[in-house]
Amino acid sequence: MTTNSSPQLWLYDTTLRDGTQREGLSVSIEDKLRIARRLDQLGIPFIEGGWPGANPKDVQFFWQLQEDPLKQAEIVAFCSTRRPNSTAATEPMLQDILAAGTRWVTIFGKSWDLHVTTGLKTTLEENLAMIRDTIEYLRSQSRRIIYDAEHWFDGYKHNRDYALQTLEAAIASGAEWLVLCDTNGGTLPHEISEIVQDVISHLSLVICQEVICQEPMTKDNGQRTIPQIGIHTHNDSEMAVANAIAAVMAGAKMVQGTINGYGERCGNANLCSLIPNLQLKAGYSCITEDQLTQLTEASRFVSEVVNLAPDEHAPFIGRSAFAHKGGIHVSAVERNPLTYEHIQPEQVGNRRRIVISEQSGLSNVLAKARSFGIELDQQKAEAREILQRLKDLESEGFQFEAAEASFVLLMHEALGGRQKFFEVKGFQVHCDLIEGKETSNALATVKVAVDGKNILEAAEGNGPVAALDAALRKALVNFYPQIATFDLTDYKVRILNGHTGTAAKTRVLVESGNGRQRWTTVGVSTNILAASYQAVVEGLEYGLLLHSQAEAALKTSG
């Protein structure tokens, strides 16, 4: 819990620049704008938008934000120092930075002498001049500067004196933030802590001794103030979050990272872990408590926009972060959540989930039932019948921890309250083979009964499951118009006993949604189409159940 007296940390999100360097991740201008506005709502103070001029997309992105600015966040342009043996004033890429119209600019420069001599192919002194000239020029154009010291920790370990000189050059030129970057992601937390402390101590000494003679940019009671230190870590050693926290504990005041840890190679420091750790555990103020409750939704929003499956086991924001499967665990959590939860899931916008499986005890079933508004009496036979039915079906290959909607329908059936919206009388699926090549289309015919009336419909689809789904919707939509809002969003198949060859059992998981909610259903059979049919039918049935419950609640509240 943070208070008004909690020390302030400044969050800097680089999802839209560093995060998009992740392999397999691509975003449009519209995607970038949507993510930027969602991060703005989350309360992130600095949002790095990209490198203006590096590609047309980033140019358009900054132009559009000039027309329609963010509410509270500073959008930041990113660029390198000028090229060797030139001047910042004549550097074309810096003109693109100025055209982006941002108040803040992040400039990165070389800290490691190896990169200066072999990468830039220039002298160590010229690299210092590049840092000074670039920052001074942008400052003369009324820009505020965040200086990213690239490969800082590797550079420090190889040549401490020179690495520190690069920071001194940035300070003398007017940088307000010095961000130490573990660009290769190979540093360990104890090294981070020691080096950050040394940097802060060294810079304090430099300024006190007035080694830097240029007019200070900021003053406090007439004394020069030390530019703030930031941290930027990568996850190549699985240390990005730990390293960022170590830097903060050592005195860093800015933390750079990405949503969901997206980034090149193994990714960047994950803000979805850093923010709650720093705010709820370490007592720093990052965002408001209300904004913190939006963290899970923001994480899933970004994963949806970039079209990457969310990590269900991610700390804090994953679906499994507060999931309890073992019967003893469930009983304990029911009595006191502190027994198996390190924070309240609602603090980060997540929720507790009770997972049911063949390992479940009666406490799992009772808790899961309550989470869906079903009250079971553990003293009555129905509760134990549901548990036994669960174990029997899972032994046949069903998996209800991944298909909670099917389990809800199972509970309603065991209690005698499963509503029969429709009944499938039969179906056929036909796929043509032409000249030995499979066509893309399949034809499905279904016969269903609604209120005693039989309906026969056929539909084509891109494959047999799509055709079956389309035929069922076509047959039912006149009776249940809400079906038009249902989508089949995911389809997964697993062979359960492959040693039996083509006679193996198949488990099918179908995820469906209505634009507001998502649910998963399961089917198992030695016939993949029969398994798919079970899962698709239950997906439609559960969607209709949700709609029916929503209508009933609306009538009650009205």
Side-chain angles (χ1 to χ4, degrees), residues 414-425:
L415 296 171
R418 184 167 179 174
Q419 188 173 348
K420 294 293 184 182
F421 295 97
F422 59 90
E423 181 183 0
V424 179
K425 297 288 190 178

PDB file of all heavy atoms in Angstrom, residues 414-425:
ATOM      1  N   ALA A 414     -26.447 -32.032 -13.545  1.00  0.00           N
ATOM      2  CA  ALA A 414     -26.500 -32.880 -12.344  1.00  0.00           C
ATOM      3  C   ALA A 414     -27.567 -32.396 -11.379  1.00  0.00           C
ATOM      4  O   ALA A 414     -28.171 -33.196 -10.648  1.00  0.00           O
ATOM      5  CB  ALA A 414     -25.137 -32.896 -11.659  1.00  0.00           C
ATOM      6  N   LEU A 415     -27.829 -31.087 -11.371  1.00  0.00           N
ATOM      7  CA  LEU A 415     -28.843 -30.512 -10.478  1.00  0.00           C
ATOM      8  C   LEU A 415     -30.230 -30.494 -11.106  1.00  0.00           C
ATOM      9  O   LEU A 415     -31.186 -30.001 -10.501  1.00  0.00           O
ATOM     10  CB  LEU A 415     -28.428 -29.085 -10.084  1.00  0.00           C
ATOM     11  CG  LEU A 415     -27.130 -28.981  -9.264  1.00  0.00           C
ATOM     12  CD1 LEU A 415     -26.706 -27.525  -9.133  1.00  0.00           C
ATOM     13  CD2 LEU A 415     -27.323 -29.613  -7.888  1.00  0.00           C
ATOM     14  N   GLY A 416     -30.322 -31.028 -12.326  1.00  0.00           N
ATOM     15  CA  GLY A 416     -31.627 -31.089 -12.990  1.00  0.00           C
ATOM     16  C   GLY A 416     -32.093 -29.757 -13.535  1.00  0.00           C
ATOM     17  O   GLY A 416     -33.285 -29.589 -13.835  1.00  0.00           O
ATOM     18  N   GLY A 417     -31.173 -28.793 -13.697  1.00  0.00           N
ATOM     19  CA  GLY A 417     -31.586 -27.466 -14.150  1.00  0.00           C
ATOM     20  C   GLY A 417     -30.932 -27.036 -15.444  1.00  0.00           C
ATOM     21  O   GLY A 417     -30.855 -25.831 -15.733  1.00  0.00           O
ATOM     22  N   ARG A 418     -30.452 -27.986 -16.242  1.00  0.00           N
ATOM     23  CA  ARG A 418     -29.813 -27.619 -17.509  1.00  0.00           C
ATOM     24  C   ARG A 418     -30.877 -27.274 -18.539  1.00  0.00           C
ATOM     25  O   ARG A 418     -31.689 -28.113 -18.924  1.00  0.00           O
ATOM     26  CB  ARG A 418     -28.930 -28.754 -18.013  1.00  0.00           C
ATOM     27  CG  ARG A 418     -28.153 -28.408 -19.280  1.00  0.00           C
ATOM     28  CD  ARG A 418     -27.069 -29.435 -19.540  1.00  0.00           C
ATOM     29  NE  ARG A 418     -26.319 -29.162 -20.756  1.00  0.00           N
ATOM     30  CZ  ARG A 418     -25.241 -29.846 -21.148  1.00  0.00           C
ATOM     31  NH1 ARG A 418     -24.810 -30.858 -20.392  1.00  0.00           N
ATOM     32  NH2 ARG A 418     -24.614 -29.547 -22.265  1.00  0.00           N
ATOM     33  N   GLN A 419     -30.865 -26.039 -18.972  1.00  0.00           N
ATOM     34  CA  GLN A 419     -31.877 -25.560 -19.908  1.00  0.00           C
ATOM     35  C   GLN A 419     -31.573 -26.078 -21.306  1.00  0.00           C
ATOM     36  O   GLN A 419     -30.451 -25.944 -21.803  1.00  0.00           O
ATOM     37  CB  GLN A 419     -31.892 -24.020 -19.920  1.00  0.00           C
ATOM     38  CG  GLN A 419     -33.039 -23.418 -20.704  1.00  0.00           C
ATOM     39  CD  GLN A 419     -33.091 -21.908 -20.532  1.00  0.00           C
ATOM     40  OE1 GLN A 419     -32.414 -21.356 -19.664  1.00  0.00           O
ATOM     41  NE2 GLN A 419     -33.897 -21.249 -21.344  1.00  0.00           N
ATOM     42  N   LYS A 420     -32.573 -26.678 -21.949  1.00  0.00           N
ATOM     43  CA  LYS A 420     -32.398 -27.218 -23.295  1.00  0.00           C
ATOM     44  C   LYS A 420     -32.825 -26.167 -24.313  1.00  0.00           C
ATOM     45  O   LYS A 420     -34.004 -26.072 -24.682  1.00  0.00           O
ATOM     46  CB  LYS A 420     -33.221 -28.510 -23.470  1.00  0.00           C
ATOM     47  CG  LYS A 420     -32.748 -29.671 -22.619  1.00  0.00           C
ATOM     48  CD  LYS A 420     -31.367 -30.161 -23.050  1.00  0.00           C
ATOM     49  CE  LYS A 420     -30.932 -31.379 -22.256  1.00  0.00           C
ATOM     50  NZ  LYS A 420     -29.579 -31.840 -22.632  1.00  0.00           N
ATOM     51  N   PHE A 421     -31.882 -25.379 -24.745  1.00  0.00           N
ATOM     52  CA  PHE A 421     -32.190 -24.355 -25.733  1.00  0.00           C
ATOM     53  C   PHE A 421     -32.494 -24.977 -27.094  1.00  0.00           C
ATOM     54  O   PHE A 421     -33.319 -24.476 -27.854  1.00  0.00           O
ATOM     55  CB  PHE A 421     -31.014 -23.382 -25.868  1.00  0.00           C
ATOM     56  CG  PHE A 421     -30.748 -22.587 -24.630  1.00  0.00           C
ATOM     57  CD1 PHE A 421     -29.777 -22.983 -23.724  1.00  0.00           C
ATOM     58  CD2 PHE A 421     -31.481 -21.434 -24.356  1.00  0.00           C
ATOM     59  CE1 PHE A 421     -29.518 -22.243 -22.583  1.00  0.00           C
ATOM     60  CE2 PHE A 421     -31.231 -20.686 -23.213  1.00  0.00           C
ATOM     61  CZ  PHE A 421     -30.248 -21.093 -22.319  1.00  0.00           C
ATOM     62  N   PHE A 422     -31.796 -26.070 -27.389  1.00  0.00           N
ATOM     63  CA  PHE A 422     -32.008 -26.765 -28.666  1.00  0.00           C
ATOM     64  C   PHE A 422     -31.475 -28.186 -28.519  1.00  0.00           C
ATOM     65  O   PHE A 422     -30.765 -28.510 -27.564  1.00  0.00           O
ATOM     66  CB  PHE A 422     -31.284 -26.035 -29.812  1.00  0.00           C
ATOM     67  CG  PHE A 422     -29.802 -25.919 -29.622  1.00  0.00           C
ATOM     68  CD1 PHE A 422     -28.935 -26.903 -30.089  1.00  0.00           C
ATOM     69  CD2 PHE A 422     -29.254 -24.821 -28.958  1.00  0.00           C
ATOM     70  CE1 PHE A 422     -27.563 -26.801 -29.902  1.00  0.00           C
ATOM     71  CE2 PHE A 422     -27.886 -24.710 -28.765  1.00  0.00           C
ATOM     72  CZ  PHE A 422     -27.036 -25.704 -29.236  1.00  0.00           C
ATOM     73  N   GLU A 423     -31.834 -29.021 -29.456  1.00  0.00           N
ATOM     74  CA  GLU A 423     -31.359 -30.399 -29.478  1.00  0.00           C
ATOM     75  C   GLU A 423     -30.884 -30.726 -30.887  1.00  0.00           C
ATOM     76  O   GLU A 423     -31.600 -30.502 -31.867  1.00  0.00           O
ATOM     77  CB  GLU A 423     -32.471 -31.363 -29.071  1.00  0.00           C
ATOM     78  CG  GLU A 423     -32.031 -32.821 -29.046  1.00  0.00           C
ATOM     79  CD  GLU A 423     -33.165 -33.770 -28.700  1.00  0.00           C
ATOM     80  OE1 GLU A 423     -34.308 -33.284 -28.484  1.00  0.00           O
ATOM     81  OE2 GLU A 423     -32.921 -34.990 -28.667  1.00  0.00           O
ATOM     82  N   VAL A 424     -29.658 -31.215 -30.979  1.00  0.00           N
ATOM     83  CA  VAL A 424     -29.117 -31.601 -32.282  1.00  0.00           C
ATOM     84  C   VAL A 424     -29.539 -33.037 -32.570  1.00  0.00           C
ATOM     85  O   VAL A 424     -29.216 -33.960 -31.823  1.00  0.00           O
ATOM     86  CB  VAL A 424     -27.581 -31.469 -32.313  1.00  0.00           C
ATOM     87  CG1 VAL A 424     -27.050 -31.911 -33.676  1.00  0.00           C
ATOM     88  CG2 VAL A 424     -27.158 -30.035 -32.031  1.00  0.00           C
ATOM     89  N   LYS A 425     -30.266 -33.204 -33.674  1.00  0.00           N
ATOM     90  CA  LYS A 425     -30.763 -34.533 -34.058  1.00  0.00           C
ATOM     91  C   LYS A 425     -29.732 -35.310 -34.863  1.00  0.00           C
ATOM     92  O   LYS A 425     -29.762 -36.539 -34.897  1.00  0.00           O
ATOM     93  CB  LYS A 425     -32.045 -34.377 -34.880  1.00  0.00           C
ATOM     94  CG  LYS A 425     -33.204 -33.749 -34.125  1.00  0.00           C
ATOM     95  CD  LYS A 425     -33.776 -34.699 -33.103  1.00  0.00           C
ATOM     96  CE  LYS A 425     -35.076 -34.175 -32.509  1.00  0.00           C
ATOM     97  NZ  LYS A 425     -35.660 -35.123 -31.540  1.00  0.00           N
TER      98      LYS A 425
END
